[in-house]
Amino acid sequence: MSSMKGLVTYPDGEIKLTEVPVPRIGDNIFAPRDVLCEVEYCGICGSDIHKWLAEDKGDIKYPPNSVVSGHEIVSVVKEVGTGVSRFKPGDRVVHEIVTFYCGECPACLEGRYNICNTIPPMQGRAHFMTGGGFAKYVVWPEQQLHRLPDSVGSREAVLMEPTAGSIHSVITRMGIKAGESVAILGPGARGLLLMQICKAIGAGPIIMTGLTRDEPFRLAMAKKMGADRVVNVEKEDIREVIREMTGGIGVDAVLENTGSVEPIAESLDIVRKGGKVLWAGGGIRGGIVAPVDTYKIIVKEIDVKGEISQIPYDWKTAIHLVSTGKIELAPLVTHDFILDDWRKGFDLAATSAECLRVALKP
């Protein structure tokens, strides 16, 4: 087979299902440590939706050349390059998102190749530069693959990449500890992963916020999966709720996961003096511009952090927590479609309050 269907993103922002060449071992930038994988499922990320829906394409970073998109990949190894020693045909794997980095800059030498100083963020990703998982086959570098335990199903494993990213947020960047109180702003799939990780490490109480549209399904699931308190911010004042719960002190940590302006201000109000805040929700949109009251950061000595992607520790920890049942993924993958029906999947992911993650099957 020399060609296959692939969901291609074009430099002008068009997204179209079309025929593309099947990648070949030895004939790609990752050789000789290249691995040809047959994709089982690939999840639709919020960043995919944002690129699809964007009205002003000039504000979005699109690939420099037409390329198959999709990065939440679960696959089976079909063939390996001559330099590959860690994998063999038949292995089930999940795919690390960062595949290109210099290895020599200060960040890379610290093991933080996710923020390589010499390569812009999107240009460090295979699904942006050489081809991703919205197709039957994809080629990936050996060092950015992770073996999937037998106890983890392939459909649910589309959330392994967001889980690794959430580990990066909660543990690697924020250093949240057992007993620390946490407010999570935004009850999407990522918010529910953040919550489960916080619970797994013993943090608490954990407060999850959402909107009225989130109440019947997403906030209900947050409560079912272990949130100590859920707050509909359109019906309750989150500042007052936190004030009452903490005796006026504020929470130890805030994880902003909405990509909206108002929660940025909320995060500075509800965190305690000397607390820590993560602003992450705007990442899938290429960032947001929000007014920030720096006086609050100054006088409360708040640590404000960002996060992007993952490093190997995050993947190792994510696989451990999922395989041992500390984190549940299956309830969060609410829908799946075949690749031919990608528009249905994208539309559902963009509009339904009862959709958390859609998996596409080539």
Side-chain angles (χ1 to χ4, degrees), residues 103-337:
E104 299 177 350
C105 70
C108 285
L109 292 174
E110 292 175 354
R112 302 175 70 186
Y113 55 80
N114 60 311
I115 53 169
C116 175
N117 285 267
T118 64
I119 298 177
M122 291 308 298
Q123 293 181 26
R125 292 149 169 72
H127 74 278
F128 192 82
M129 301 299 294
T130 58
F134 288 145
K136 187 66 174 175
Y137 296 98
V138 66
V139 69
W140 220 257
E142 175 188 26
Q143 60 270 31
Q144 264 69 54
L145 290 173
H146 300 270
R147 188 171 283 101
L148 190 63
D150 292 340
S151 60
V152 182
S154 296
R155 183 178 180 269
E156 66 188 273
V158 297
L159 282 173
M160 284 303 313
E161 189 275 329
T163 302
S166 299
I167 294 287
H168 190 71
S169 297
V170 173
I171 301 176
T172 304
R173 294 294 294 143
M174 291 287 278
I176 291 175
K177 301 179 180 67
E180 289 190 321
S181 55
V182 184
I184 301 171
L185 313 184
R190 183 69 180 265
L192 292 167
L193 289 171
L194 293 168
M195 185 200 72
Q196 291 188 74
I197 294 163
C198 288
K199 193 169 182 65
I201 62 177
I206 302 169
I207 302 98
M208 174 74 78
T209 74
L211 306 175
T212 299
R213 73 189 298 265
D214 299 318
E215 208 164 15
F217 184 69
R218 295 182 178 192
L219 287 179
M221 182 171 287
K223 188 67 175 176
K224 180 180 179 181
M225 299 186 88
D228 297 289
R229 178 77 150 83
V230 296
V231 180
N232 178 345
V233 296
E234 293 180 321
K235 294 181 178 179
E236 296 184 87
D237 183 344
I238 183 60
R239 295 169 175 85
E240 185 59 32
V241 170
I242 297 297
R243 192 175 299 116
E244 291 177 1
M245 289 186 67
T246 63
I249 293 174
V251 292
D252 296 307
V254 180
L255 306 175
E256 182 280 316
N257 189 52
T258 68
S260 300
V261 171
E262 174 58 21
I264 298 295
E266 288 175 353
S267 66
L268 300 180
D269 288 336
I270 65 177
V271 72
R272 68 168 173 83
K273 291 182 179 180
K276 47 202 174 187
V277 169
L278 181 82
W279 289 337
I284 63 171
R285 301 171 58 182
I288 58 172
V289 177
V292 174
D293 186 347
T294 59
Y295 184 73
K296 295 174 182 176
I297 298 174
I298 294 166
V299 300
K300 293 174 74 173
E301 290 195 352
I302 300 169
D303 290 337
V304 178
K305 296 188 177 185
E307 63 81 28
I308 187 169
S309 306
Q310 318 95 21
I311 57 175
Y313 164 83
D314 307 318
W315 279 92
K316 179 180 178 181
T317 305
I319 290 171
H320 170 72
L321 290 178
V322 171
S323 64
T324 55
K326 300 293 193 303
I327 295 174
E328 289 186 83
L329 301 183
L332 309 186
V333 183
T334 50
H335 302 81
D336 60 76
F337 293 89

